[in-house]
């Protein structure tokens, strides 16, 4: 299907497949969005891909895992191609997803603290869970370096300098497992990146993603309400403003 002729945006695709409403998170569906043409209005499309997260961030948010802004900006642009901004709301960068991933990689998630990480290491089935000898932190480090390497090899430019379609081409190659990586497949890295992007878009804002609860607002999720007792028997539909754990009253 020609998405330009149909006028279908990525965010509309997310809505119609149920991903934006939280009904489909696992699997490989959002991976199919890479390479999916975006029909944005003039002035919204970032043609150079240079929407650098590091140049406009909250004062109370800093990097915990990434040692350079160059690597962080590659991550930011990759997540934005997976969940781009459009007329329905902010994309991954606007939602703070890169900071969420950075913070997670610096903690138990990045160290695989809850996984069994001893050998033997074999190529397992998709139902067998985590199989790599590398931690997530090591996989992200290698994957981001490979994104830059592919950009330089294919276009003689840095990843963040590429056109959106060129970024999509590279990410699609990762999704299909066509890029050589050590001790892990590029498709596995892409799966981690895609899942972390979704988690950052819909997490509680205390984890530095879902900025201003915009992810929840887009899908009508109320967040963490103290109680529904007053409205539980109401015959009328009750709409709640989303609330973060950090904003709940403990009095």
């Amino acid at each position: 299907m020609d998405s330009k002729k149909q006028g279908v945006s990525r965010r509309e695709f997310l809505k119609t497949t149920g991903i934006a409403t939280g009904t489909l998170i696992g699997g490989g569906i959002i991976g199919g969005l890479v390479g999916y043409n975006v029909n944005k209005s003039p002035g919204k499309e970032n043609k150079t891909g240079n929407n650098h997260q590091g140049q406009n961030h909250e004062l109370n948010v800093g990097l915990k895992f990434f040692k350079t802004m160059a690597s962080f900006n590659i991550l930011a642009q990759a997540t934005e191609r997976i969940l781009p901004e459009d007329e329905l709301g902010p994309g991954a960068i606007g939602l703070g997803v890169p900071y969420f991933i950075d913070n997670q990689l610096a903690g138990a998630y990045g160290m695989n603290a809850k996984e069994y990480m001893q050998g033997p290491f074999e190529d397992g089935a998709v139902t067998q869970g985590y199989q790599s000898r590398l931690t997530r932190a090591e996989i992200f480090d290698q994957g981001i370096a490979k994104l830059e390497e592919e950009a330089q090899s294919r276009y003689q430019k840095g990843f963040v300098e590429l056109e959106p379609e060129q970024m999509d081409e590279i990410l699609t190659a990762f999704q299909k497992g066509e890029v050589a990586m050590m001790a892990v497949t590029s498709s596995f890295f892409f799966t981690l990146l895609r899942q972390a992007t979704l988690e950052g878009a819909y997490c509680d804002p205390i984890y530095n993603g879902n900025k201003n609860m915009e992810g929840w607002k887009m899908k009508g999720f109320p967040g963490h309400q103290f109680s529904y007792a007053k409205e539980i028997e109401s015959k009328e539909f009750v709409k709640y403003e989303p609330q973060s754990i950090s904003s709940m009253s403990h009095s």
Side-chain angles (χ1 to χ4, degrees), residues 161-216:
E161 299 172 321
L162 299 180
E163 298 289 332
E165 295 79 8
Q166 295 170 331
M167 292 183 186
D168 288 352
E169 178 187 311
I170 291 175
L171 287 168
T172 299
F174 273 78
Q175 180 190 10
K176 293 179 177 179
E178 296 173 352
V179 179
M181 293 181 63
M182 294 185 64
V184 69
T185 64
S186 63
S187 61
F188 187 70
F189 164 63
F190 182 86
T191 297
L192 288 180
L193 176 64
R194 178 190 65 214
Q195 186 67 27
T197 298
L198 285 174
E199 291 172 355
Y202 300 128
C203 69
D204 191 284
I206 62 172
Y207 300 107
N208 285 329
N210 189 18
K211 185 177 178 181
N212 297 325
M213 296 178 281
E214 291 296 332
W216 289 350

Side-chain angles (χ1 to χ4, degrees), residues 21-137:
T21 57
T23 58
L24 292 174
I25 293 296
I29 294 180
I30 199 170
L33 298 181
V34 173
Y36 197 78
N37 291 324
V38 183
N39 186 18
K40 292 185 178 180
S41 59
K44 282 223 169 185
E45 185 174 15
N46 176 19
K47 293 203 170 183
T48 64
N50 291 330
N51 187 3
H52 293 288
Q53 177 78 359
Q55 295 176 356
N56 183 23
H57 61 269
E58 300 295 327
L59 292 178
N60 64 338
V61 176
L63 299 184
K64 298 179 180 179
F65 173 75
F66 287 97
K67 298 177 178 64
T68 68
M69 287 305 303
S71 295
F72 182 72
N73 285 331
I74 293 170
L75 170 73
Q77 290 303 314
T79 61
E80 184 73 9
R81 295 313 301 158
I82 292 173
L83 188 64
E85 176 182 356
D86 66 12
E87 67 279 2
L88 297 177
I93 290 179
L95 290 169
V97 167
Y99 283 106
F100 166 82
I101 295 176
D102 169 78
N103 292 181
Q104 293 299 307
L105 289 174
Y109 171 85
M111 295 183 292
N112 290 69
K114 296 184 179 181
E115 276 84 22
Y116 179 81
M117 294 295 290
Q118 302 301 313
F121 297 99
E122 304 289 344
D123 291 334
V126 293
T127 57
Q128 291 182 298
Y130 204 96
Q131 295 293 315
S132 177
R133 69 179 70 244
L134 302 180
T135 64
R136 294 185 186 89

Side-chain angles (χ1 to χ4, degrees), residues 206 213 224 242-250:
I206 62 172
M213 296 178 281
H224 304 283
Q243 184 166 276
S244 166
I245 290 175
S246 62
S247 63
M248 294 178 68
S249 172
H250 299 283

